[in-house]
Amino acid sequence: MNSPVNPFEASASALGYLYQLRVALQRCVELSRGGIEWSVAIEATDDVQAQMGSRTELTQLKKRADNVRLTDLSSDLWKTIRVWSQAVTEKRIDLAETSLYLITTAELPEGSAGFFLQPKATGHRDKQAAADLLVQARQSSKSETLAKAFDAFDALDERRRAELVSRIEVIGDAPGMDEIRNDLLGYASLAVERRFADAFLQRLEGWFFERASVQMSSPGSDPVTGAEFDELFTDLRSQIGEHNLPIDRDIFDLTATDPAAVDAADKIFVHQLRLIGVGTERIGYAVRDWVRAFAQRSRWANENLVRTGEIGAYERRLVQEWESRFAEMREELGEEATEEEMKRQAKLIYRWVDHDARMRIRPNCEEVFVTKGSYQMLADELQVGWHPDFTARLAALLEPTGAADGRS
């Protein structure tokens, strides 16, 4: 019988995973300040592995509850030492070119091995004292839980053990999830205006988490490189600013079959297209543009990326561009035009929207679904239309049965 799943264990595991991703992203940001000649991998040789030329950083992460202490017999400490000791024995790492970091949210008790392995800048680093404490701890313990870690440590001769310990730095009381995000937010505010920093970071995290997921799900796949991170960072920065707006990948991928478009068949803009004889396939494209524009504009508004009244002003521009063409069409048709002629001319107006109308909400926001989908939104509100008599025709078509002859 399967063991029941403990939801608290699953939650802790998920938090640990998110912590790992956020620390990795923070390291990418730090490295990007110095150039693009680097790479970062997750769950490769270690939790986070950074490569800068011939130099390697291996980082073990331990996210623990409040008031947890990293003692000399802590399983977090010895499991980490086991991983690194085995990597040395199996010659998977070259200590001369490798820095080893144990980052933990646990407290480092004063006088402990972890305490003496803190970075030099703390003023507490004493490699020999730490090595002596580790040996004493190992010799004093009969723990079966730590037996494999002790065996791995014992497998190193004295010189290799000393070299291993000299490469280790322990960072205790490490920043938690929120503190790291605040740090990233501060960096984002240097890349874009402070009011856009959160939107910028959301997209940066979204890309990085997806990229890391791909890397972890395919053993041997390429790590995140400095060049691709720089390209993504630059692209995001250009999208979020005074002259542009971001186009989000998840929204760009929406289709007419997306659940958000499930009721589109009854929308007024679809009836407008049927009224002039637009085919099913093209109506599908219109629904796709509508659902994308609706979702993207809503997200912009929710994230305060658009100014107050900006979307309204954009829609007025779209309506004004349509008005002159629509008026010209009706003028040329006159009062005696046949239904066939009216539909033919209406299709030309819609063709203009589909192929030529490219008014941008901001100068550098070039994505066409914004314009085309916005026109469908306006058509849905009957602010624009294609058939010369679209208002009257749709009123008759959409009013409840019996309303027209007073039977309702």
Side-chain angles (χ1 to χ4, degrees), residues 92-153:
R92 288 185 280 112
I93 60 175
D94 176 6
L95 284 175
E97 296 283 357
T98 306
S99 299
L100 304 170
Y101 297 100
L102 169 57
I103 297 178
T104 176
T105 55
E107 177 188 345
L108 305 181
E110 187 170 349
S112 66
F115 180 83
F116 288 126
L117 286 176
Q118 293 182 90
K120 189 175 181 180
T122 63
H124 302 306
R125 187 167 180 81
D126 187 334
K127 294 178 290 185
Q128 187 57 56
D132 292 343
L133 287 168
L134 289 174
V135 171
Q136 290 172 22
R138 185 267 170 274
Q139 292 175 345
S140 66
S141 175
K142 305 296 182 186
S143 168
E144 294 183 2
T145 304
L146 301 178
K148 291 183 179 178
F150 293 153
D151 290 344
F153 192 59

Short mmCIF file of all heavy atoms in Angstrom, two decimals, residues 92-153:
data_model
loop_
_atom_site.label_atom_id
_atom_site.label_comp_id
_atom_site.label_asym_id
_atom_site.label_seq_id
_atom_site.Cartn_x
_atom_site.Cartn_y
_atom_site.Cartn_z
N ARG A 92 35.92 14.33 -9.91
CA ARG A 92 34.95 15.08 -10.69
C ARG A 92 35.13 16.58 -10.53
O ARG A 92 34.56 17.36 -11.28
CB ARG A 92 33.52 14.67 -10.28
CG ARG A 92 33.14 13.28 -10.77
CD ARG A 92 31.68 12.96 -10.46
NE ARG A 92 31.49 12.54 -9.09
CZ ARG A 92 30.83 13.23 -8.17
NH1 ARG A 92 30.32 14.41 -8.48
NH2 ARG A 92 30.70 12.79 -6.94
N ILE A 93 35.89 16.98 -9.54
CA ILE A 93 36.20 18.41 -9.37
C ILE A 93 37.69 18.56 -9.09
O ILE A 93 38.34 17.67 -8.54
CB ILE A 93 35.40 19.05 -8.22
CG1 ILE A 93 35.69 18.36 -6.87
CG2 ILE A 93 33.91 19.03 -8.54
CD1 ILE A 93 35.01 19.05 -5.69
N ASP A 94 38.22 19.70 -9.52
CA ASP A 94 39.61 20.06 -9.27
C ASP A 94 39.61 21.14 -8.20
O ASP A 94 39.21 22.28 -8.46
CB ASP A 94 40.24 20.57 -10.56
CG ASP A 94 41.68 21.05 -10.36
OD1 ASP A 94 42.22 20.88 -9.24
OD2 ASP A 94 42.26 21.60 -11.32
N LEU A 95 40.01 20.79 -6.99
CA LEU A 95 39.91 21.73 -5.88
C LEU A 95 40.69 23.02 -6.13
O LEU A 95 40.30 24.09 -5.65
CB LEU A 95 40.41 21.07 -4.59
CG LEU A 95 39.43 20.09 -3.93
CD1 LEU A 95 40.08 19.42 -2.72
CD2 LEU A 95 38.15 20.81 -3.52
N ALA A 96 41.77 22.92 -6.90
CA ALA A 96 42.56 24.11 -7.17
C ALA A 96 41.78 25.16 -7.95
O ALA A 96 42.08 26.35 -7.91
CB ALA A 96 43.84 23.73 -7.93
N GLU A 97 40.76 24.71 -8.69
CA GLU A 97 39.96 25.62 -9.52
C GLU A 97 38.52 25.73 -9.04
O GLU A 97 37.66 26.24 -9.76
CB GLU A 97 39.96 25.12 -10.98
CG GLU A 97 41.32 25.11 -11.65
CD GLU A 97 41.75 26.53 -12.09
OE1 GLU A 97 40.95 27.47 -11.91
OE2 GLU A 97 42.87 26.67 -12.58
N THR A 98 38.26 25.23 -7.83
CA THR A 98 36.86 25.14 -7.38
C THR A 98 36.67 25.82 -6.03
O THR A 98 37.45 25.63 -5.10
CB THR A 98 36.42 23.67 -7.26
OG1 THR A 98 36.67 23.00 -8.50
CG2 THR A 98 34.94 23.57 -6.93
N SER A 99 35.60 26.61 -5.95
CA SER A 99 35.17 27.20 -4.67
C SER A 99 33.89 26.49 -4.23
O SER A 99 32.99 26.25 -5.05
CB SER A 99 34.90 28.70 -4.83
OG SER A 99 36.08 29.38 -5.23
N LEU A 100 33.81 26.17 -2.96
CA LEU A 100 32.68 25.41 -2.43
C LEU A 100 31.92 26.27 -1.43
O LEU A 100 32.52 26.79 -0.47
CB LEU A 100 33.18 24.13 -1.75
CG LEU A 100 34.05 23.22 -2.62
CD1 LEU A 100 34.70 22.12 -1.78
CD2 LEU A 100 33.23 22.61 -3.75
N TYR A 101 30.62 26.41 -1.65
CA TYR A 101 29.81 27.25 -0.77
C TYR A 101 28.66 26.43 -0.18
O TYR A 101 27.94 25.73 -0.90
CB TYR A 101 29.21 28.43 -1.54
CG TYR A 101 30.26 29.37 -2.07
CD1 TYR A 101 30.67 29.31 -3.41
CD2 TYR A 101 30.87 30.32 -1.25
CE1 TYR A 101 31.64 30.16 -3.92
CE2 TYR A 101 31.84 31.19 -1.75
CZ TYR A 101 32.22 31.10 -3.07
OH TYR A 101 33.19 31.93 -3.56
N LEU A 102 28.50 26.55 1.11
CA LEU A 102 27.32 26.02 1.79
C LEU A 102 26.52 27.22 2.28
O LEU A 102 26.95 27.95 3.18
CB LEU A 102 27.72 25.13 2.97
CG LEU A 102 26.58 24.72 3.92
CD1 LEU A 102 25.45 24.00 3.18
CD2 LEU A 102 27.12 23.84 5.05
N ILE A 103 25.38 27.43 1.66
CA ILE A 103 24.52 28.55 2.03
C ILE A 103 23.33 28.00 2.79
O ILE A 103 22.57 27.16 2.27
CB ILE A 103 24.04 29.32 0.78
CG1 ILE A 103 25.24 29.93 0.04
CG2 ILE A 103 23.06 30.41 1.16
CD1 ILE A 103 24.89 30.67 -1.25
N THR A 104 23.17 28.43 4.01
CA THR A 104 22.10 27.91 4.85
C THR A 104 21.39 29.03 5.59
O THR A 104 22.02 30.03 5.97
CB THR A 104 22.65 26.89 5.87
OG1 THR A 104 21.59 26.47 6.74
CG2 THR A 104 23.77 27.47 6.71
N THR A 105 20.10 28.85 5.77
CA THR A 105 19.35 29.84 6.56
C THR A 105 19.50 29.56 8.05
O THR A 105 18.99 30.33 8.87
CB THR A 105 17.86 29.81 6.17
OG1 THR A 105 17.36 28.48 6.31
CG2 THR A 105 17.66 30.26 4.73
N ALA A 106 20.19 28.47 8.38
CA ALA A 106 20.39 28.12 9.79
C ALA A 106 21.43 29.06 10.43
O ALA A 106 22.25 29.68 9.76
CB ALA A 106 20.86 26.68 9.92
N GLU A 107 21.40 29.10 11.76
CA GLU A 107 22.36 29.90 12.53
C GLU A 107 23.68 29.15 12.66
O GLU A 107 23.69 27.91 12.75
CB GLU A 107 21.77 30.17 13.92
CG GLU A 107 22.68 30.94 14.84
CD GLU A 107 22.13 30.99 16.26
OE1 GLU A 107 20.93 30.69 16.44
OE2 GLU A 107 22.90 31.33 17.18
N LEU A 108 24.79 29.86 12.65
CA LEU A 108 26.10 29.25 12.87
C LEU A 108 26.52 29.50 14.32
O LEU A 108 26.89 30.64 14.66
CB LEU A 108 27.14 29.84 11.90
CG LEU A 108 26.81 29.78 10.41
CD1 LEU A 108 27.95 30.40 9.59
CD2 LEU A 108 26.54 28.35 9.97
N PRO A 109 26.48 28.49 15.19
CA PRO A 109 26.87 28.72 16.59
C PRO A 109 28.32 29.19 16.68
O PRO A 109 29.20 28.65 15.99
CB PRO A 109 26.70 27.33 17.22
CG PRO A 109 25.78 26.59 16.32
CD PRO A 109 26.06 27.10 14.94
N GLU A 110 28.57 30.16 17.53
CA GLU A 110 29.94 30.67 17.69
C GLU A 110 30.85 29.54 18.16
O GLU A 110 30.53 28.77 19.06
CB GLU A 110 29.95 31.82 18.70
CG GLU A 110 31.31 32.50 18.79
CD GLU A 110 31.24 33.78 19.61
OE1 GLU A 110 30.11 34.22 19.92
OE2 GLU A 110 32.31 34.35 19.91
N GLY A 111 32.02 29.45 17.51
CA GLY A 111 32.99 28.42 17.88
C GLY A 111 32.77 27.10 17.16
O GLY A 111 33.52 26.15 17.38
N SER A 112 31.78 27.01 16.29
CA SER A 112 31.52 25.77 15.53
C SER A 112 32.36 25.76 14.26
O SER A 112 32.95 26.78 13.86
CB SER A 112 30.04 25.67 15.18
OG SER A 112 29.69 26.70 14.27
N ALA A 113 32.42 24.60 13.61
CA ALA A 113 33.17 24.49 12.35
C ALA A 113 32.60 25.45 11.31
O ALA A 113 33.35 26.12 10.59
CB ALA A 113 33.11 23.04 11.85
N GLY A 114 31.27 25.49 11.23
CA GLY A 114 30.64 26.40 10.27
C GLY A 114 31.00 27.85 10.55
O GLY A 114 31.23 28.64 9.63
N PHE A 115 31.05 28.19 11.83
CA PHE A 115 31.39 29.56 12.24
C PHE A 115 32.79 29.92 11.73
O PHE A 115 33.02 31.02 11.23
CB PHE A 115 31.33 29.66 13.77
CG PHE A 115 31.67 31.01 14.32
CD1 PHE A 115 30.70 32.01 14.38
CD2 PHE A 115 32.95 31.29 14.79
CE1 PHE A 115 31.01 33.26 14.90
CE2 PHE A 115 33.26 32.54 15.30
CZ PHE A 115 32.28 33.53 15.36
N PHE A 116 33.73 28.97 11.85
CA PHE A 116 35.12 29.24 11.43
C PHE A 116 35.33 29.12 9.92
O PHE A 116 36.41 29.43 9.43
CB PHE A 116 36.07 28.29 12.15
CG PHE A 116 36.24 28.61 13.61
CD1 PHE A 116 36.01 27.64 14.58
CD2 PHE A 116 36.62 29.88 14.02
CE1 PHE A 116 36.16 27.94 15.92
CE2 PHE A 116 36.77 30.19 15.36
CZ PHE A 116 36.53 29.22 16.33
N LEU A 117 34.28 28.68 9.21
CA LEU A 117 34.41 28.58 7.75
C LEU A 117 33.68 29.71 7.03
O LEU A 117 33.48 29.66 5.82
CB LEU A 117 33.88 27.23 7.26
CG LEU A 117 34.79 26.04 7.57
CD1 LEU A 117 34.14 24.72 7.13
CD2 LEU A 117 36.16 26.20 6.88
N GLN A 118 33.28 30.71 7.77
CA GLN A 118 32.64 31.86 7.13
C GLN A 118 33.66 32.60 6.25
O GLN A 118 34.87 32.46 6.43
CB GLN A 118 32.09 32.81 8.21
CG GLN A 118 30.94 32.20 9.01
CD GLN A 118 30.41 33.18 10.02
OE1 GLN A 118 29.51 33.96 9.73
NE2 GLN A 118 30.98 33.15 11.22
N PRO A 119 33.17 33.41 5.33
CA PRO A 119 34.09 34.18 4.47
C PRO A 119 35.06 35.03 5.29
O PRO A 119 34.75 35.45 6.41
CB PRO A 119 33.14 35.05 3.64
CG PRO A 119 31.86 34.31 3.62
CD PRO A 119 31.77 33.64 4.96
N LYS A 120 36.21 35.29 4.72
CA LYS A 120 37.27 36.02 5.41
C LYS A 120 36.80 37.38 5.89
O LYS A 120 37.22 37.87 6.95
CB LYS A 120 38.47 36.17 4.47
CG LYS A 120 39.71 36.70 5.12
CD LYS A 120 40.88 36.69 4.13
CE LYS A 120 42.15 37.21 4.80
NZ LYS A 120 43.29 37.21 3.84
N ALA A 121 35.91 37.99 5.10
CA ALA A 121 35.45 39.35 5.44
C ALA A 121 34.73 39.42 6.78
O ALA A 121 34.62 40.50 7.37
CB ALA A 121 34.52 39.85 4.33
N THR A 122 34.24 38.27 7.28
CA THR A 122 33.54 38.28 8.57
C THR A 122 34.51 38.44 9.74
O THR A 122 34.11 38.77 10.85
CB THR A 122 32.75 36.97 8.77
OG1 THR A 122 33.67 35.87 8.82
CG2 THR A 122 31.75 36.75 7.64
N GLY A 123 35.79 38.14 9.50
CA GLY A 123 36.78 38.19 10.57
C GLY A 123 36.80 36.94 11.43
O GLY A 123 37.57 36.88 12.41
N HIS A 124 35.99 35.94 11.10
CA HIS A 124 35.91 34.73 11.92
C HIS A 124 36.57 33.52 11.26
O HIS A 124 36.61 32.45 11.85
CB HIS A 124 34.45 34.38 12.20
CG HIS A 124 33.69 35.46 12.90
ND1 HIS A 124 34.13 36.04 14.08
CD2 HIS A 124 32.54 36.10 12.58
CE1 HIS A 124 33.28 36.96 14.46
NE2 HIS A 124 32.31 37.04 13.57
N ARG A 125 37.07 33.67 10.04
CA ARG A 125 37.56 32.50 9.31
C ARG A 125 38.85 31.95 9.93
O ARG A 125 39.81 32.68 10.15
CB ARG A 125 37.77 32.84 7.83
CG ARG A 125 38.10 31.61 6.96
CD ARG A 125 38.00 31.92 5.48
NE ARG A 125 38.31 30.74 4.67
CZ ARG A 125 37.44 29.77 4.42
NH1 ARG A 125 36.21 29.85 4.90
NH2 ARG A 125 37.80 28.72 3.69
N ASP A 126 38.83 30.65 10.20
CA ASP A 126 40.00 29.95 10.74
C ASP A 126 39.93 28.51 10.24
O ASP A 126 39.27 27.65 10.83
CB ASP A 126 39.97 29.99 12.28
CG ASP A 126 41.26 29.41 12.88
OD1 ASP A 126 41.92 28.57 12.22
OD2 ASP A 126 41.59 29.79 14.02
N LYS A 127 40.58 28.25 9.11
CA LYS A 127 40.46 26.96 8.43
C LYS A 127 40.96 25.82 9.30
O LYS A 127 40.37 24.73 9.32
CB LYS A 127 41.23 27.00 7.10
CG LYS A 127 40.67 27.95 6.08
CD LYS A 127 41.51 27.98 4.82
CE LYS A 127 42.85 28.66 5.07
NZ LYS A 127 43.64 28.81 3.83
N GLN A 128 42.07 26.05 10.01
CA GLN A 128 42.64 24.97 10.82
C GLN A 128 41.71 24.62 11.97
O GLN A 128 41.50 23.43 12.28
CB GLN A 128 44.01 25.40 11.37
CG GLN A 128 44.76 24.27 12.08
CD GLN A 128 44.96 23.05 11.18
OE1 GLN A 128 45.52 23.16 10.09
NE2 GLN A 128 44.50 21.88 11.62
N ALA A 129 41.17 25.64 12.62
CA ALA A 129 40.22 25.38 13.72
C ALA A 129 39.02 24.60 13.21
O ALA A 129 38.53 23.66 13.88
CB ALA A 129 39.77 26.70 14.35
N ALA A 130 38.52 24.97 12.03
CA ALA A 130 37.37 24.27 11.47
C ALA A 130 37.71 22.82 11.17
O ALA A 130 36.93 21.90 11.48
CB ALA A 130 36.91 24.99 10.19
N ALA A 131 38.88 22.60 10.58
CA ALA A 131 39.29 21.22 10.24
C ALA A 131 39.42 20.38 11.51
O ALA A 131 38.98 19.21 11.54
CB ALA A 131 40.62 21.26 9.48
N ASP A 132 40.00 20.95 12.55
CA ASP A 132 40.15 20.21 13.82
C ASP A 132 38.79 19.85 14.40
O ASP A 132 38.59 18.73 14.90
CB ASP A 132 40.93 21.07 14.82
CG ASP A 132 42.40 21.25 14.40
OD1 ASP A 132 42.86 20.47 13.54
OD2 ASP A 132 43.06 22.17 14.92
N LEU A 133 37.84 20.78 14.33
CA LEU A 133 36.50 20.52 14.87
C LEU A 133 35.79 19.43 14.08
O LEU A 133 35.07 18.59 14.66
CB LEU A 133 35.67 21.81 14.85
CG LEU A 133 36.06 22.86 15.90
CD1 LEU A 133 35.39 24.19 15.61
CD2 LEU A 133 35.67 22.37 17.30
N LEU A 134 35.98 19.42 12.78
CA LEU A 134 35.33 18.39 11.96
C LEU A 134 35.89 17.01 12.29
O LEU A 134 35.16 16.02 12.40
CB LEU A 134 35.53 18.70 10.47
CG LEU A 134 34.74 19.91 9.94
CD1 LEU A 134 35.12 20.21 8.49
CD2 LEU A 134 33.24 19.66 10.04
N VAL A 135 37.21 16.93 12.46
CA VAL A 135 37.84 15.65 12.80
C VAL A 135 37.36 15.18 14.18
O VAL A 135 37.02 14.01 14.37
CB VAL A 135 39.37 15.78 12.76
CG1 VAL A 135 40.02 14.52 13.34
CG2 VAL A 135 39.86 16.01 11.33
N GLN A 136 37.32 16.12 15.13
CA GLN A 136 36.84 15.76 16.47
C GLN A 136 35.40 15.26 16.43
O GLN A 136 35.04 14.27 17.09
CB GLN A 136 36.93 16.97 17.40
CG GLN A 136 38.35 17.39 17.76
CD GLN A 136 38.38 18.71 18.52
OE1 GLN A 136 37.38 19.11 19.12
NE2 GLN A 136 39.51 19.40 18.48
N ALA A 137 34.57 15.95 15.68
CA ALA A 137 33.16 15.57 15.59
C ALA A 137 33.03 14.18 14.98
O ALA A 137 32.26 13.34 15.45
CB ALA A 137 32.40 16.60 14.75
N ARG A 138 33.80 13.97 13.92
CA ARG A 138 33.73 12.68 13.25
C ARG A 138 34.15 11.55 14.19
O ARG A 138 33.53 10.48 14.25
CB ARG A 138 34.63 12.72 12.00
CG ARG A 138 34.53 11.45 11.14
CD ARG A 138 35.58 10.46 11.50
NE ARG A 138 35.36 9.17 10.86
CZ ARG A 138 34.59 8.21 11.33
NH1 ARG A 138 33.88 8.39 12.44
NH2 ARG A 138 34.50 7.04 10.72
N GLN A 139 35.25 11.78 14.94
CA GLN A 139 35.78 10.72 15.83
C GLN A 139 34.88 10.46 17.03
O GLN A 139 34.88 9.35 17.58
CB GLN A 139 37.19 11.12 16.29
CG GLN A 139 38.22 11.12 15.16
CD GLN A 139 39.58 11.64 15.59
OE1 GLN A 139 39.72 12.27 16.65
NE2 GLN A 139 40.60 11.40 14.77
N SER A 140 34.11 11.46 17.43
CA SER A 140 33.28 11.31 18.63
C SER A 140 31.92 10.71 18.33
O SER A 140 31.20 10.30 19.24
CB SER A 140 33.06 12.68 19.29
OG SER A 140 32.29 13.52 18.45
N SER A 141 31.54 10.66 17.07
CA SER A 141 30.17 10.24 16.74
C SER A 141 30.12 8.80 16.22
O SER A 141 31.00 8.38 15.46
CB SER A 141 29.60 11.18 15.68
OG SER A 141 28.34 10.72 15.25
N LYS A 142 29.10 8.10 16.64
CA LYS A 142 28.82 6.76 16.12
C LYS A 142 27.54 6.77 15.29
O LYS A 142 26.91 5.73 15.09
CB LYS A 142 28.68 5.77 17.28
CG LYS A 142 29.87 5.73 18.22
CD LYS A 142 31.11 5.23 17.52
CE LYS A 142 32.30 5.14 18.51
NZ LYS A 142 33.58 4.80 17.82
N SER A 143 27.13 7.94 14.83
CA SER A 143 25.86 8.09 14.13
C SER A 143 25.81 7.22 12.87
O SER A 143 26.69 7.31 12.01
CB SER A 143 25.65 9.56 13.74
OG SER A 143 24.57 9.68 12.84
N GLU A 144 24.79 6.38 12.81
CA GLU A 144 24.60 5.58 11.59
C GLU A 144 24.09 6.45 10.45
O GLU A 144 24.37 6.19 9.28
CB GLU A 144 23.61 4.45 11.88
CG GLU A 144 24.14 3.42 12.89
CD GLU A 144 23.16 2.27 13.08
OE1 GLU A 144 22.11 2.28 12.40
OE2 GLU A 144 23.45 1.39 13.92
N THR A 145 23.36 7.48 10.80
CA THR A 145 22.82 8.39 9.77
C THR A 145 23.94 9.08 9.00
O THR A 145 23.85 9.29 7.79
CB THR A 145 21.92 9.46 10.43
OG1 THR A 145 20.89 8.81 11.16
CG2 THR A 145 21.31 10.37 9.38
N LEU A 146 25.01 9.39 9.73
CA LEU A 146 26.12 10.11 9.10
C LEU A 146 27.27 9.20 8.67
O LEU A 146 28.31 9.69 8.21
CB LEU A 146 26.66 11.16 10.09
CG LEU A 146 25.65 12.22 10.57
CD1 LEU A 146 26.31 13.17 11.57
CD2 LEU A 146 25.09 13.00 9.39
N ALA A 147 27.05 7.90 8.78
CA ALA A 147 28.15 6.96 8.52
C ALA A 147 28.74 7.12 7.13
O ALA A 147 29.98 7.13 6.95
CB ALA A 147 27.65 5.53 8.74
N LYS A 148 27.89 7.24 6.12
CA LYS A 148 28.39 7.36 4.74
C LYS A 148 29.16 8.67 4.55
O LYS A 148 30.13 8.72 3.80
CB LYS A 148 27.23 7.27 3.75
CG LYS A 148 26.62 5.88 3.68
CD LYS A 148 25.51 5.81 2.64
CE LYS A 148 24.93 4.40 2.57
NZ LYS A 148 23.83 4.30 1.60
N ALA A 149 28.71 9.72 5.24
CA ALA A 149 29.43 10.99 5.13
C ALA A 149 30.80 10.87 5.78
O ALA A 149 31.81 11.36 5.24
CB ALA A 149 28.61 12.09 5.82
N PHE A 150 30.86 10.20 6.95
CA PHE A 150 32.14 10.00 7.61
C PHE A 150 33.08 9.16 6.73
O PHE A 150 34.27 9.46 6.62
CB PHE A 150 31.93 9.30 8.96
CG PHE A 150 31.20 10.14 9.98
CD1 PHE A 150 30.45 9.54 10.99
CD2 PHE A 150 31.27 11.53 9.94
CE1 PHE A 150 29.78 10.30 11.94
CE2 PHE A 150 30.59 12.31 10.89
CZ PHE A 150 29.85 11.69 11.89
N ASP A 151 32.53 8.13 6.11
CA ASP A 151 33.36 7.26 5.25
C ASP A 151 33.94 8.07 4.09
O ASP A 151 35.11 7.89 3.72
CB ASP A 151 32.51 6.11 4.70
CG ASP A 151 32.14 5.11 5.80
OD1 ASP A 151 32.77 5.15 6.88
OD2 ASP A 151 31.21 4.30 5.56
N ALA A 152 33.13 8.92 3.50
CA ALA A 152 33.61 9.73 2.38
C ALA A 152 34.71 10.68 2.83
O ALA A 152 35.71 10.89 2.12
CB ALA A 152 32.44 10.51 1.77
N PHE A 153 34.54 11.26 4.02
CA PHE A 153 35.54 12.17 4.58
C PHE A 153 36.82 11.42 4.90
O PHE A 153 37.94 11.89 4.62
CB PHE A 153 34.96 12.83 5.83
CG PHE A 153 35.76 13.99 6.36
CD1 PHE A 153 36.01 15.11 5.58
CD2 PHE A 153 36.25 13.96 7.67
CE1 PHE A 153 36.73 16.18 6.08
CE2 PHE A 153 36.98 15.04 8.17
CZ PHE A 153 37.22 16.16 7.38
#
